[in-house]
Amino acid sequence: MKHYLLSVMQPVGEPPEPEVLEEIMHRVEGFHAELRAAGAWVFAGGLHGPETATVLRAGEGGDVLVTDGPYTESKEYLGGICLIKAPDLDAALDWGRRAARATTLPIEVRPFMGEADG
């Protein structure tokens, strides 16, 4: 099976109210349970906000520039990831739809490169 990355696109701003977030997390836990039961689970986890990021960029002469925080301003950022196994893109998109319903956030689905399709 091919591996796909389901990226959770988190909008910039305040998180939902605690009771709303609690319901979302309950749905996400249910989604992860479905993935495990189907044998599609590989890994999932949330990420701290972009203000906690450190960006490293290769520079002139082999130096690496290290900066705190995100390099560019954006309206959304990578808030979490879920790595799944799926037989094809259609199946991965079905899992992505379920993830979007569970999180109420946009989900980007991408296949990993260099893997056999079987």
Side-chain angles (χ1 to χ4, degrees), residues 40-78:
W41 172 269
V42 176
F43 172 82
L47 299 171
H48 289 282
E51 69 280 359
T52 67
T54 303
V55 179
L56 298 102
R57 293 190 179 276
E60 300 294 320
D63 290 339
V64 175
L65 176 64
V66 179
T67 57
D68 292 334
Y71 183 71
T72 59
E73 296 294 322
S74 66
K75 294 181 181 181
E76 57 188 18
Y77 60 92
L78 183 61

Side-chain angles (χ1 to χ4, degrees), residues 10-23:
Q10 178 76 40
V12 173
E14 294 297 315
E17 294 297 320
E19 59 276 359
V20 174
L21 188 56
E22 184 177 329
E23 176 60 29

Side-chain angles (χ1 to χ4, degrees), residues 24-37 95 102:
I24 291 169
M25 293 312 299
H26 178 73
R27 288 194 308 266
V28 169
E29 289 170 12
F31 169 67
H32 290 168
E34 285 183 60
L35 283 169
R36 286 184 182 98
W95 286 116

Side-chain angles (χ1 to χ4, degrees), residues 1-4 84-88 111-118:
M1 283 198 186
K2 197 160 184 64
H3 285 79
Y4 291 85
I84 65 166
K85 295 183 284 188
D88 54 35
F112 274 79
M113 294 173 54
E115 290 187 334
D117 285 328

